[in-house]
């Protein structure tokens, strides 16, 4: 149903484009509907994964998901740009509709999803608010899961403050507007996710799953944000892009293994929906705050050359983009420290039991 709604949005855009009436407001509306449908699709897909995949293979499947996501991140924009230049935007939308039909036919005809799995009892049917209350009650009674979700929400906040927000303007500002350097760095971010996803899918996770959440997260903040902050050349920026993305599939796989292990199948839909709410609610806040801090606080501070600015210039350098580099330095340091502090909490460590 979610993909069907998204495909209807694509068809609506195609029709508006053909009539010559496509407007920016329509794009906002389509994105809103698509995002709303994703809120339903993501928990459902997570539950189906738990039904179809054996317990011991969940880590590897998470690695394959990360691999496919990173692969589409790298390949799809290039294909879309080439197709747009060759045949126009309408051809891109037609391909989108064709892929929906292919995926829909595969799901309908090639995959049987049982209503109840061997590990699953029938979930009690309730009203929306009752389901939400049941999900929150489940998490309150299991503080380790709640703390894990809150910790990932913090990681998402730090990530959106800098790396997934002001990376492009910082590299362009510090490289003299060289778009080739930016393209190489962003491409290596996707490559890191591909390599990390393949590594997880090939080897799985060894030992407890909790460490595979917090140690890769800490490594990503150090090798990504901090190296990006102190780097002043294309090789270091590219290394930071690779270092930031390569550990992430391990982190996602560790979290998924714990969730499927700790949450009864009958509760997974409600708890996964709440997980998405808790973990992703910090993303828009980080996006808005990161841009404001860079433009109105840190860049002017570094340009004015006060005592603190002179001290920070010894670490991140000076000139255009140095204020954004300071923000990367802050997110890398705070993200690493908080990841290790969360790992030290007994309630989280007990999730491996």
């Amino acid at each position: 149903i979610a993909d069907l709604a998204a495909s209807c949005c694509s068809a609506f855009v195609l029709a508006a484009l053909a009539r010559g009436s496509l407007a920016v407001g329509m794009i906002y509306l389509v994105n809103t509907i698509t995002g709303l449908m994703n809120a339903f699709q993501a928990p459902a897909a997570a539950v189906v994964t738990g039904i179809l995949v054996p317990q011991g293979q969940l880590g590897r499947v998470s690695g394959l998901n990360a691999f496919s996501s990173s692969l589409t991140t790298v390949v799809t924009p290039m294909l879309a740009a080439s197709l747009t230049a060759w045949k126009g935007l309408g051809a891109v939308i037609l391909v989108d509709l064709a892929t929906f039909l292919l995926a829909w036919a595969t799901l309908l005809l090639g995959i049987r999803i049982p209503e109840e799995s061997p590990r699953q009892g029938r979930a009690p049917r309730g009203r929306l608010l009752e389901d939400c209350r049941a999900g929150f009650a489940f998490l309150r009674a299991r503080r380790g899961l709640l703390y894990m979700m809150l910790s990932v929400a913090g990681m998402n906040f730090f990530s959106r403050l800098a790396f997934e927000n002001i990376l492009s303007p910082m590299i362009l500002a510090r490289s003299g507007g060289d778009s080739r350097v930016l393209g190489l760095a962003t491409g290596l971010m996707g490559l890191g996710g591909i390599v990390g996803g393949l590594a997880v899918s090939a080897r799985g996770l060894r030992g407890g799953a909790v460490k595979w959440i917090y140690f890769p997260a800490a490594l990503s903040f150090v090798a990504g944000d901090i190296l990006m902050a102190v780097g002043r050349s294309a090789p270091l920026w590219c290394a930071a892009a690779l270092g930031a993305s390569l550990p992430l599939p391990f982190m996602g796989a560790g979290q998924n293994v714990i969730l499927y292990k700790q949450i009864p199948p009958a509760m997974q839909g409600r708890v996964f929906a709440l997980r998405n709410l808790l973990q992703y609610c910090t993303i828009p806040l980080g996006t808005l705050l990161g841009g404001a801090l860079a433009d109105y606080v840190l860049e002017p501070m570094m340009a004015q050359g006060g005592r603190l600015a002179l001290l920070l210039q010894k670490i991140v350098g000076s000139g255009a983009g140095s204020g954004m580099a300071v923000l990367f330095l802050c997110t890398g340091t705070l993200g690493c420290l908080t990841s290790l502090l969360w790992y030290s909490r007994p309630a989280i460590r007990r999730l491996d039991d």
Side-chain angles (χ1 to χ4, degrees), residues 143-281:
R143 292 297 179 94
L145 286 176
L146 180 60
Y147 292 158
M148 182 184 70
M149 294 176 188
L150 293 176
S151 68
V152 176
M155 296 174 196
N156 287 338
F157 174 73
F158 289 129
S159 177
R160 287 290 174 167
L161 270 179
F163 222 102
E164 297 185 42
N165 188 4
I166 60 171
L167 174 65
S168 296
M170 191 198 76
I171 290 181
L172 289 175
R174 308 199 84 181
S175 65
D178 193 338
S179 59
R180 293 172 299 177
V181 174
L182 175 60
L184 182 59
T186 54
L188 285 172
M189 286 182 63
L191 179 62
I194 292 172
V195 173
L198 286 175
V200 175
S201 63
R203 298 179 57 86
L205 301 179
R206 307 295 175 88
V210 171
K211 66 183 180 183
W212 289 106
I213 300 174
Y214 295 98
F215 290 162
L219 176 62
S220 177
F221 281 116
V222 172
D225 294 57
I226 293 180
L227 184 58
M228 189 66 70
V230 302
R232 305 176 199 180
S233 62
L236 285 178
W237 295 328
C238 292
L242 192 63
S245 59
L246 196 149
L248 297 184
F250 294 90
M251 174 184 163
Q255 187 187 29
N256 285 336
V257 168
I258 289 174
L259 290 174
Y260 287 115
K261 175 183 175 183
Q262 296 286 337
I263 303 172
M267 289 293 299
Q268 285 179 1
R270 283 165 281 189
V271 177
F272 280 128
L274 289 174
R275 185 272 303 263
N276 292 346
L277 171 65
L278 292 173
Q279 292 185 181
Y280 301 149
C281 69

Side-chain angles (χ1 to χ4, degrees), residues 6-328:
S7 67
C8 290
C9 290
S10 297
F12 170 76
V13 172
L14 182 61
L17 181 66
R19 293 195 307 266
S21 59
L22 184 62
V24 175
M26 296 179 183
I27 303 299
Y28 289 147
L29 177 62
V30 164
N31 285 340
T32 300
I33 296 173
T34 303
L36 179 63
M37 291 299 103
N38 286 339
F40 292 95
Q41 185 187 53
V47 173
V48 168
T49 300
I51 293 174
L52 296 178
V53 178
Q55 192 79 29
Q57 300 298 322
L58 289 169
R60 293 187 174 185
V61 170
S62 295
L64 285 175
N65 285 336
F67 163 75
S68 62
S69 176
S70 298
L71 185 65
T72 55
T73 300
V74 174
V75 174
T76 302
M78 294 188 294
L79 294 178
S82 300
L83 188 57
T84 302
W86 181 37
K87 290 293 185 179
L89 180 59
V92 176
I93 300 175
L94 286 174
V95 170
D96 179 52
L97 292 172
T99 55
F100 159 73
L101 291 175
L102 177 62
W104 180 79
T106 302
L107 184 62
L108 183 65
L109 303 176
I111 300 176
R112 181 180 177 272
I113 302 175
E115 289 297 322
E116 299 181 16
S117 74
R119 306 193 302 267
Q120 180 176 5
R122 182 176 295 276
R125 297 182 182 273
R127 296 180 179 179
L128 177 61
L129 293 180
E130 292 174 354
D131 288 342
C132 291
R133 283 195 293 266
F136 277 117
F138 182 89
L139 290 178
R140 283 198 303 269
R142 294 159 180 80
R143 292 297 179 94
L145 286 176
L146 180 60
Y147 292 158
M148 182 184 70
M149 294 176 188
L150 293 176
S151 68
V152 176
M155 296 174 196
N156 287 338
F157 174 73
F158 289 129
S159 177
R160 287 290 174 167
L161 270 179
F163 222 102
E164 297 185 42
N165 188 4
I166 60 171
L167 174 65
S168 296
M170 191 198 76
I171 290 181
L172 289 175
R174 308 199 84 181
S175 65
D178 193 338
S179 59
R180 293 172 299 177
V181 174
L182 175 60
L184 182 59
T186 54
L188 285 172
M189 286 182 63
L191 179 62
I194 292 172
V195 173
L198 286 175
V200 175
S201 63
R203 298 179 57 86
L205 301 179
R206 307 295 175 88
V210 171
K211 66 183 180 183
W212 289 106
I213 300 174
Y214 295 98
F215 290 162
L219 176 62
S220 177
F221 281 116
V222 172
D225 294 57
I226 293 180
L227 184 58
M228 189 66 70
V230 302
R232 305 176 199 180
S233 62
L236 285 178
W237 295 328
C238 292
L242 192 63
S245 59
L246 196 149
L248 297 184
F250 294 90
M251 174 184 163
Q255 187 187 29
N256 285 336
V257 168
I258 289 174
L259 290 174
Y260 287 115
K261 175 183 175 183
Q262 296 286 337
I263 303 172
M267 289 293 299
Q268 285 179 1
R270 283 165 281 189
V271 177
F272 280 128
L274 289 174
R275 185 272 303 263
N276 292 346
L277 171 65
L278 292 173
Q279 292 185 181
Y280 301 149
C281 69
T282 57
I283 289 178
L285 177 62
T287 302
L288 294 173
L289 186 58
L293 285 173
D295 288 342
Y296 301 115
V297 179
L298 297 175
E299 284 292 321
M301 181 192 75
M302 295 297 286
Q304 291 170 3
R307 183 175 300 179
L308 179 59
L310 293 175
L311 175 63
L312 291 171
Q313 285 174 4
K314 297 179 181 180
I315 303 174
V316 302
S318 59
S322 59
M324 288 180 275
V326 170
L327 186 55
F328 272 90

Side-chain angles (χ1 to χ4, degrees), residues 325-346:
V326 170
L327 186 55
F328 272 90
L329 182 66
C330 294
T331 57
T333 303
L334 293 174
C336 176
L337 291 177
T338 54
S339 297
L340 297 178
L341 287 174
W342 278 112
Y343 179 73
S344 68
R345 294 191 69 92

